[in-house]
Amino acid sequence: MTDTTPRTRPPVPGGTPAAQVAAGQVPAASAAQVAAGQVPAASAAQVAAGQVRAASAAQAPAPLPPDVPLPPGTATPAYVYDLDAVRAAHARLRSWLPEPSELYYSLKANPHPAVVAALYALGCRAEVSSPGELDAALEAGVPAGDILYTGPGKRDEDLDGALAAGVRDFAVDSLYGIGQLDRAAARHGVRAGYLLRVNPGGGSRGAGLRMTGDPSAFGADAGHIAAHPERYAGGDHARITGLHLYLATNISDEQALGDSFGEAIAVARTLHEALGVPLRTVDLGGGFGAPYARSGELPAYPGLADRLAGALDAALPGWRRGAPSVAFESGRYLTATCGRLLTRVLDVKQSHGQRVVVLDTGINHLGGMAGLRRVPPLHPDVVPAGAGAPGAAAADGPPDGTGARGRDGGEPPGPAMICGPLCTPLDMWARSHDLPAVAPGDLLAVPNTGAYGLHASLVLFLGHPAPAEIVTDGGRVVRSDRLTFVRRPAAG
């Protein structure tokens, strides 16, 4: 019996600590040097290890930094994550949240250790929901005590691994989940705490994806908790420490987002009274929207903090002194705008009167979960890399000079079908998308792919290599690596 196991992105061997680079203590490598393997990249555990610039929650929203240009010859396909953009998004989100409050980073959006490390240095705890995400958080230097382990179903071995690593905070979704955690903690001779995830009635308008309000694997029904509060208090080794409410995700409208949080706060008040036990934390979840694979900026929620503070004052009057503490979660808002997917043109042709452009990336690297509604329907902007200026695509091409506009193999500007390299007709990003004149070898980019990009894709389908993942900071490359997969005998 064998299994196919992902190995976490072996970095370029050796390396200068990224924190030293960020602090300006040593010169950083150019993107070309790292991509070519001429110099080592930093390890994940060293990236932003407490030395990145922190943003005050009281700061005004910071402008998003421009794309960091990468030189011709960068290997593609490649995701590029810019840590300056991560910090700008964090400062922006903190300015919309009431104070005091905690913020968890949801690794499902982008578990790259460099991104996780940068956000932890800014004060974000880690929210994980699998052994792989737990490994990524620990690799990034997040202490086990700052990790919340969630998910509607957990294997006994998942709990054992997390407890052995030192995790003590969990979210549970059912009476069985409470007993399962209690038994696991007993096996390890420790005490664990859990946030009880709640599935209230109703739903949230304007949501990209509703998480509760219907029959769902997520959460225990609020009505059942209120009717039988003693059954949800826990056992000898696992006790309730708070409530977890996450009603919807990807809401760009401030009124709708405020309504969602307002519903969560009202439910938390009712259940807090019904449970009759002190609660350490009320996690209100997230729902913050972000552009996905299209040009655009992060939504603004300028009135949200005051609105939520008023609702919390009425429902949970001790929240300002941490009784309970209030927490929020975000994945896509913190990382969406930090990423670009770089791709090169493999072929350009006419097919039955339509221009067809074939890229070296496709649904195996971006948008593979769009049909499941985990990510929005994919209508990506595909633009010349480093662009802004007309003719940027023509300025970059293969070293033999055959990749410029108007050369053999090129086509005039206009609508084009954009396809990937997979051996299936389903590997298509767009049936008709305006593109400039491009030719084989030209470098293009898809913006705002830092969240739910590679890690929400069909990367194993048809066995193409995973894209490189390049991390930049202050306009310089601090890490470059690639996920690889190996087959090995399975235990047992």
Side-chain angles (χ1 to χ4, degrees), residues 192-458:
Y194 61 85
L195 304 181
L196 177 60
R197 183 151 184 177
V198 181
N199 184 348
S204 299
R205 68 178 180 87
L209 182 65
R210 285 175 55 185
M211 306 294 287
T212 55
D214 296 315
S216 173
F218 290 103
D221 289 356
H224 195 266
I225 300 170
H228 306 281
E230 72 285 349
R231 300 181 64 184
Y232 290 91
D236 293 334
H237 293 271
R239 299 292 295 177
I240 187 171
T241 58
L243 298 172
H244 186 200
L245 296 110
Y246 203 126
L247 306 192
T249 186
N250 202 19
I251 304 175
S252 295
D253 178 72
E254 181 179 333
Q255 181 65 41
L257 182 61
D259 290 347
S260 178
F261 283 131
E263 179 185 349
I265 291 168
V267 172
R269 175 181 187 172
T270 298
L271 295 183
H272 189 194
E273 294 171 352
L275 287 164
V277 297
L279 298 182
R280 188 180 71 197
T281 302
V282 172
D283 183 344
L284 296 173
F288 311 101
Y292 179 65
R294 296 186 67 83
S295 300
E297 296 185 358
L298 293 167
Y301 308 108
L304 186 65
D306 288 343
R307 178 179 175 181
L308 296 188
L312 288 166
D313 285 339
L316 302 168
W319 77 277
R320 291 184 185 271
R321 62 179 187 276
S325 66
V326 172
F328 297 89
E329 302 174 24
S330 178
R332 74 179 79 235
Y333 197 98
L334 292 171
T335 58
T337 54
C338 85
R340 292 183 290 158
L341 174 57
L342 301 182
T343 178
R344 288 190 185 274
V345 177
L346 297 181
D347 197 2
V348 182
K349 65 181 183 180
Q350 288 285 332
S351 178
H352 295 280
Q354 183 172 7
R355 183 168 63 138
V356 177
V357 175
V358 182
L359 307 177
D360 62 5
T361 187
I363 61 170
N364 55 330
H365 299 154
L366 177 68
M369 294 183 69
L372 301 176
R373 296 192 304 121
R374 172 63 265 185
V375 297
L378 191 65
H379 303 292
D381 287 336
V382 183
V383 299
D396 184 77
D400 62 6
T402 61
R405 180 175 303 172
R407 295 154 303 190
D408 291 343
E411 294 287 341
M417 178 183 291
I418 301 178
C419 301
L422 301 186
C423 190
T424 170
L426 300 177
D427 189 15
M428 184 192 323
W429 280 351
R431 289 189 177 276
S432 182
H433 181 89
D434 283 337
L435 277 182
V438 295
D442 283 344
L443 183 65
L444 305 177
V446 183
N448 292 332
T449 53
Y452 299 106
L454 174 60
H455 301 277
S457 69
L458 307 175

Side-chain angles (χ1 to χ4, degrees), residues 10-18 39-44 46 478-480:
V12 179
T16 298
V39 296
S43 70
Q46 295 166 326
V478 296
R479 176 166 175 161
S480 178

Side-chain angles (χ1 to χ4, degrees), residues 85-257:
V86 172
R87 296 186 192 104
H90 175 269
R92 187 176 173 90
L93 181 56
R94 287 288 350 173
S95 74
W96 309 140
L97 298 180
E99 289 294 345
S101 61
E102 298 177 4
L103 183 59
Y104 283 91
Y105 173 56
S106 297
L107 267 72
K108 61 178 64 67
N110 185 335
H112 193 286
V115 173
V116 179
L119 284 165
Y120 180 69
L122 293 170
C124 291
R125 295 181 177 181
E127 182 265 317
V128 307
S129 57
S130 71
E133 289 184 352
L134 174 59
D135 288 345
L138 294 172
E139 180 189 348
V142 180
D146 284 330
I147 294 174
L148 174 66
Y149 200 118
T150 72
K154 306 175 187 72
R155 301 174 302 167
D156 287 345
E157 50 264 46
D158 298 339
L159 293 176
D160 287 337
L163 289 165
V167 176
R168 297 293 181 266
D169 294 320
F170 296 81
V172 299
D173 295 72
S174 67
L175 289 171
Y176 176 81
I178 294 171
Q180 182 191 25
L181 178 60
D182 189 64
R183 292 188 296 274
R187 286 194 300 272
H188 289 261
V190 300
R191 294 186 181 274
Y194 61 85
L195 304 181
L196 177 60
R197 183 151 184 177
V198 181
N199 184 348
S204 299
R205 68 178 180 87
L209 182 65
R210 285 175 55 185
M211 306 294 287
T212 55
D214 296 315
S216 173
F218 290 103
D221 289 356
H224 195 266
I225 300 170
H228 306 281
E230 72 285 349
R231 300 181 64 184
Y232 290 91
D236 293 334
H237 293 271
R239 299 292 295 177
I240 187 171
T241 58
L243 298 172
H244 186 200
L245 296 110
Y246 203 126
L247 306 192
T249 186
N250 202 19
I251 304 175
S252 295
D253 178 72
E254 181 179 333
Q255 181 65 41
L257 182 61

